């Protein structure tokens, strides 16, 4: 991140600009800073404040302290949504990681039409989530699901699967759709990481008698750890705050079995008009997000030896 | 593996140690899993496309027609979509909003990235870190306070609500990406220009920007795709049918009663995906580089 190269000659040259540099920087930073401060930082603070008020749509609220949070603390649906969110995030992230890493390893082989495969694999990630989720909605249709039909034709099951009507099935279905959409991101970023590992390391390890598994375990994995950490942090953050897939497929049903914190926040805050309570649910997501970021930052950050330095 | 086998594969092979694997083994361990991956990842698109041109009576009758194929395809669903719904308007809205948000974000990001990376004002590293942290703030926790702001600013149900809020996730991303690009441009070029008497503005527009065209394209098409795909803000801030974007319009307007018009829905999903897919197919390398570039730092 830090580039402290060629500071000495540059600063002497730039010294002439020094008196205007502060002003220039201010001017250059202004558009981005204004946009972010007004539409990101301020709403973030406003959201926290709203969580302490009883604001509704069309009616400014008053400060009510922790009442929203006390209410949520005793609300079983809220806790169910927390449980669902954690289940959804953990299961989907593990599956995305394993399948994505596998796909990345496959794509890293010496294949014909390699760039074609790579382009095709990324498609689910490029297409708008809502639109591909609508396709999944049709695939998961209770009566005309193509999966049910195919499995019945193959003689594996004897009646249609109720994909989105049964709590367990619905959870599995939304997780499957999320994994489908998330695999390409994980695979392509990990592939980029794999391509930076020098072939000579594998050759040297092979000469030392390492088998396939050992090559993976002692060469690939350690060198890939930093990029895995960042990729999975992003993946976990996006999965945890997912909204679109659930909103399209189940809207939180059946009986709240697939409600995530984001969808519950939307349902209470926008559809139900209880902006304060919705904001409180959204704020309740922040500690989880911070925990994920800090975990990846401190637990999985780059080690010196991975960049060629000493231990 | 015998010696002759190794020798046979070793001739003219540049694939590292790939020759150590025999062909049948490669088929089972590589091609077969890869094929399954590709089929699973592409099937929803195939299903979308085939449903979009399937006549209604074939759609639900799996006994007389194979569901995987279509006999006598019809354009009825697409016609319905284009002429009897507000779909063309949603497409136009999405194009305008995405383009405007992308340009606004790119403009702000170029200046910010240049200031952070090259002007090196005091505190620029902290600002850079702040930009990165801003990228990690998800729309799911911002949409409620933002909806209140949008309402109070009088922007509710207008395109400006989206054009001004999309930069919240576009600017951090573009700035971060462009910072990486600017860093790869040698300082010496700027120093030469400074000696020749160029101003900072001239350096930016005549040296840095021409050299970072690939980065600008990457950031631009990526930002465009992100705005095209955005859903939660568009769902919350837009109410009237004619102002909706494609993802919101398809979901909220085409799904009406209990009878789902799957053909029209799938056609809507397909046509709504095409612009980004076409853009993507022209700039695959830029996509990959911007996706991995944001992660590599």
């Amino acid at each position: 991140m830090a580039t402290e190269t060629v500071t000495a000659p540059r600063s002497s040259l730039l010294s002439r600009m020094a008196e205007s540099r502060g002003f220039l920087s201010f001017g250059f930073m202004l558009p981005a800073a204004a946009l972010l401060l007004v539409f990101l930082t301020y709403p973030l603070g406003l959201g926290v404040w709203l969580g302490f008020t009883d604001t509704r749509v069309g009616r400014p609220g008053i400060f009510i302290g922790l009442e929203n949070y006390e209410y949520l603390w005793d609300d079983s649906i809220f806790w169910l949504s927390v449980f669902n969110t954690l289940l959804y995030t953990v299961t989907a992230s593990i599956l995305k990681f394993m399948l994505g890493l596998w796909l990345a390893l496959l794509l890293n082989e010496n294949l014909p039409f390699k760039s074609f495969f790579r382009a095709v694999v990324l498609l689910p990630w490029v297409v708008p989530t809502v639109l591909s989720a609508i396709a999944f909605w049709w695939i998961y249709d209770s009566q005309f699901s193509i999966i049910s039909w195919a499995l019945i034709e193959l003689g594996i099951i004897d009646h249609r699967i109720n994909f989105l009507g049964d709590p367990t099935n619905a959870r599995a279905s939304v997780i499957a759709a999320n994994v489908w959409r998330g695999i390409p991101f994980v695979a392509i970023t990990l592939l980029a990481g794999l391509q930076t590992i020098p072939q000579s390391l594998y050759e040297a390890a092979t000469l030392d008698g390492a088998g396939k598994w050992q090559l993976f375990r002692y060469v690939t994995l350690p060198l890939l750890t930093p990029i895995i950490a960042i990729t999975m942090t992003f993946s976990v953050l996006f999965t945890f705050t997912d909204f679109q897939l659930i909103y399209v497929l189940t809207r939180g049903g059946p009986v709240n079995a697939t409600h995530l914190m984001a969808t519950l926040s939307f349902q209470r805050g926008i559809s139900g008009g209880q902006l304060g309570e919705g904001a409180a649910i959204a704020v309740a997501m922040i500690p989880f997000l911070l925990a994920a970021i800090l975990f990846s930052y401190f637990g999985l950050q780059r080690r010196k030896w991975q960049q060629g330095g000493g231990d | 593996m015998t010696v002759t086998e190794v020798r046979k594969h070793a001739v003219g092979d540049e694939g590292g140690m790939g020759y150590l694997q025999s062909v049948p083994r490669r088929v089972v361990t590589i091609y077969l899993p890869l094929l399954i991956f590709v089929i699973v990842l592409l099937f929803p698109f195939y299903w979308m496309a085939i449903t979009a041109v399937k006549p209604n009576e074939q759609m639900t009758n799996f006994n007389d027609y194979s569901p995987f194929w279509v006999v006598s395809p019809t354009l009825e669903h697409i016609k319905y979509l284009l002429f009897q719904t507000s779909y063309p308007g949603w497409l136009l809205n999405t194009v305008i909003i995405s383009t405007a948000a992308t340009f606004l974000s790119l403009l702000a990001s170029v200046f910010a990235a240049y200031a952070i990376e090259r002007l090196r004002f005091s505190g620029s590293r902290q600002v850079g870190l702040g930009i990165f942290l801003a990228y990690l703030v998800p729309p799911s926790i911002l949409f409620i306070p933002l909806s209140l702001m949008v309402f109070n600013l009088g922007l509710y149900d207008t395109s400006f609500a989206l054009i001004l809020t999309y930069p919240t996730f576009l600017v951090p991303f573009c700035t971060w990406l462009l910072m990486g690009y600017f860093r790869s441009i040698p300082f010496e070029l700027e120093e030469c220009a400074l000696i020749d008497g160029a101003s900072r503005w001239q350096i930016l527009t005549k040296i840095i920007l021409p050299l970072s065209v690939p980065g600008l394209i990457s950031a631009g098409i990526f930002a465009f795709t992100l705005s095209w795909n955005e859903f939660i803000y568009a769902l919350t801030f837009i109410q009237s049918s004619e102002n909706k974007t494609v993802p919101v319009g398809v979901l909220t307007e085409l799904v009406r009663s209990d009878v789902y018009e799957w053909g029209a829905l799938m056609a809507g999903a397909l046509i709504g995906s095409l612009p980004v897919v076409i853009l993507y197919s022209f700039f695959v390398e830029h996509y990959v580089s911007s996706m991995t570039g944001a992660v590599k730092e």
Side-chain angles (χ1 to χ4, degrees):
Chain A
M1 270 204 252
T3 47
E4 255 79 44
T5 46
V6 291
T7 4
R10 187 169 54 91
S11 55
S12 66
L13 275 164
L14 291 182
S15 56
R16 269 178 287 158
M17 306 288 292
E19 63 261 29
S20 67
R21 192 160 70 155
F23 178 73
L24 204 60
S25 306
F26 178 77
F28 275 21
M29 282 306 297
L30 192 63
L35 274 172
L36 290 183
L37 288 176
V38 173
F39 290 106
L40 194 125
T41 316
Y42 173 68
L44 200 58
L46 183 64
V48 175
W49 162 252
L50 281 178
F52 294 117
T53 68
D54 62 350
T55 311
R56 291 177 190 210
V57 170
R59 181 177 72 91
I62 50 158
F63 182 78
I64 53 165
L66 289 171
E67 240 172 75
N68 283 328
Y69 295 96
E70 280 164 10
Y71 173 76
L72 288 175
W73 188 265
D74 296 325
D75 181 4
S76 61
I77 296 175
F78 170 73
W79 286 110
L80 182 65
S81 80
V82 174
F83 169 77
N84 288 337
T85 313
L86 290 173
L87 180 79
Y88 182 75
T89 310
V90 170
T91 319
S93 298
I94 291 175
L95 286 172
K96 272 188 270 196
F97 170 63
M98 294 199 303
L99 293 170
L101 181 60
W102 188 18
L103 183 56
L105 289 169
L106 291 175
L107 289 172
N108 197 34
E109 295 285 339
N110 194 31
L111 295 171
F113 311 114
K114 193 172 180 168
S115 47
F116 168 77
F117 276 120
R118 200 181 57 179
V120 160
V121 157
L122 202 50
L123 266 185
W125 197 79
V126 173
V127 166
T129 312
V130 171
L131 303 183
S132 56
I134 290 175
F136 268 97
W137 196 19
W138 174 219
I139 288 173
Y140 288 151
D141 189 86
S142 55
Q143 268 188 299
F144 303 109
S145 164
I146 183 67
I147 302 177
S148 289
W149 181 84
L151 291 178
I152 289 171
E153 286 293 299
L154 292 170
I156 296 173
I157 52 172
D158 51 8
H159 55 273
R160 295 190 193 95
I161 303 172
N162 189 5
F163 283 103
L164 299 175
D166 170 83
T168 315
N169 284 352
R171 281 178 179 153
S173 304
V174 291
I175 288 173
N178 181 278
V179 170
W180 175 84
R181 188 182 185 270
I183 286 177
F185 173 75
V186 177
I188 298 297
T189 44
L190 291 187
L191 178 63
L194 282 175
Q195 283 166 343
T196 62
I197 302 176
Q199 276 293 319
S200 55
L201 291 178
Y202 291 108
E203 288 161 4
T206 313
L207 286 181
D208 290 344
K212 269 238 140 197
W213 167 248
Q214 285 168 311
L215 283 182
F216 175 74
R217 172 68 187 78
Y218 295 107
V219 180
T220 311
L221 211 51
L223 288 168
L224 209 56
T225 311
I227 207 156
I228 288 176
I230 298 169
T231 307
M232 290 320 293
T233 309
F234 275 100
S235 179
V236 165
L237 290 186
F238 292 143
T239 315
F240 192 89
T241 58
D242 196 12
F243 171 82
Q244 319 188 359
L245 247 175
I246 304 291
Y247 189 79
V248 176
L249 287 177
T250 64
R251 304 236 169 152
V255 274
N256 301 317
T258 58
H259 243 317
L260 301 185
M261 290 166 87
T263 50
L264 190 69
S265 165
F266 183 87
Q267 196 194 49
R268 301 259 171 100
I270 304 294
S271 314
Q274 308 273 5
L275 287 173
E277 196 187 326
I281 298 173
V283 169
M285 289 159 69
I286 296 177
F288 293 100
L289 298 177
L290 279 180
I293 294 169
L294 291 178
F295 173 76
S296 95
Y297 185 76
F298 289 109
L300 302 162
Q301 62 183 315
R302 273 166 212 249
R303 305 285 189 272
K304 269 188 186 142
W305 56 265
Q306 281 160 337
Q307 292 171 310
D311 276 318
Chain B
M1 188 173 284
T2 63
V3 178
T4 44
E5 221 179 330
V6 171
R7 200 173 291 146
K8 188 175 72 196
H9 288 284
V11 176
D13 194 326
E14 288 130 15
M17 295 189 296
Y19 64 85
L20 291 173
Q21 280 192 325
S22 62
V23 171
R25 197 188 151 90
R26 273 180 78 85
V27 168
V28 177
T29 60
I30 297 169
Y31 296 119
L32 197 65
L34 192 61
L35 189 72
I36 295 172
F37 265 115
V38 170
I39 289 175
V40 171
L41 289 177
L42 291 189
F43 179 74
F45 299 118
Y46 174 74
W47 198 232
M48 216 190 254
I50 202 125
T51 310
V53 294
K54 218 180 237 187
N56 275 328
E57 69 275 10
Q58 290 180 33
M59 208 173 293
T60 51
N61 186 349
F62 288 174
N63 297 325
D64 299 331
Y65 302 96
S66 164
F68 289 107
W69 195 238
V70 53
V71 194
S72 61
T74 170
L75 289 178
E76 191 192 327
H77 303 307
I78 297 173
K79 266 187 203 153
Y80 167 79
L81 193 69
L82 294 182
F83 299 111
Q84 280 170 306
T85 66
S86 319
Y87 195 81
W90 302 335
L91 266 180
L92 188 67
N93 288 338
T94 319
V95 171
I96 293 171
I97 291 168
S98 305
T99 314
T102 303
F103 270 101
L104 185 64
S105 308
L106 267 186
L107 200 67
S109 302
V110 164
F111 290 126
Y114 185 75
I116 293 170
E117 200 53 46
R118 284 302 160 90
L119 293 180
R120 295 248 151 210
F121 55 93
S122 54
S124 58
R125 285 193 61 187
Q126 284 73 24
V127 172
L129 187 68
I131 295 268
F132 180 69
L133 288 180
Y135 184 49
L136 297 177
V137 177
S140 315
I141 64 177
L142 288 180
F143 71 94
I144 288 182
L146 269 178
S147 71
L148 205 62
M149 280 180 67
V150 160
F151 201 80
N152 291 337
L153 289 172
L155 297 173
Y156 185 72
D157 205 14
T158 65
S159 302
F160 284 106
L162 302 182
I163 294 173
L164 288 173
T165 48
Y166 284 1
T168 55
F169 53 89
L170 299 181
V171 167
F173 173 79
C174 293
T175 308
W176 193 248
L177 198 73
L178 288 172
M179 277 165 66
Y181 254 88
F182 291 167
R183 207 175 301 145
S184 69
I185 298 170
F187 275 111
E188 287 77 4
L189 288 173
E190 274 187 85
E191 288 164 3
C192 292
L194 276 176
I195 290 171
D196 291 344
S199 68
R200 277 288 169 186
W201 176 258
Q202 285 173 315
I203 291 175
L204 180 62
T205 52
K206 298 213 168 123
I207 295 175
I208 300 290
L209 285 186
L211 283 173
S212 42
V213 165
L216 290 173
I217 295 177
S218 292
I221 55 169
F222 211 81
F224 184 82
T225 311
L226 286 181
S227 346
W228 189 280
N229 298 359
E230 207 287 327
F231 180 67
I232 190 164
Y233 290 164
L235 179 73
T236 315
F237 305 155
I238 303 291
Q239 200 188 12
S240 51
S241 174
E242 67 269 18
N243 288 338
K244 283 180 175 166
T245 61
V246 170
V248 178
V250 169
L251 189 68
T252 55
E253 304 274 319
L254 293 185
V255 181
R256 269 182 293 235
S257 54
D258 306 342
V259 186
Y260 298 125
E261 295 169 51
W262 287 113
L265 263 176
M266 290 300 119
L270 190 70
I271 298 173
S273 308
L274 273 183
V276 278
V277 170
I278 292 169
L279 194 67
Y280 164 73
S281 64
F282 281 114
F283 295 103
V284 179
E285 291 309 317
H286 287 93
Y287 262 90
V288 174
S289 77
S290 54
M291 200 159 99
T292 54
V295 175
K296 261 183 188 167
E297 296 307 318

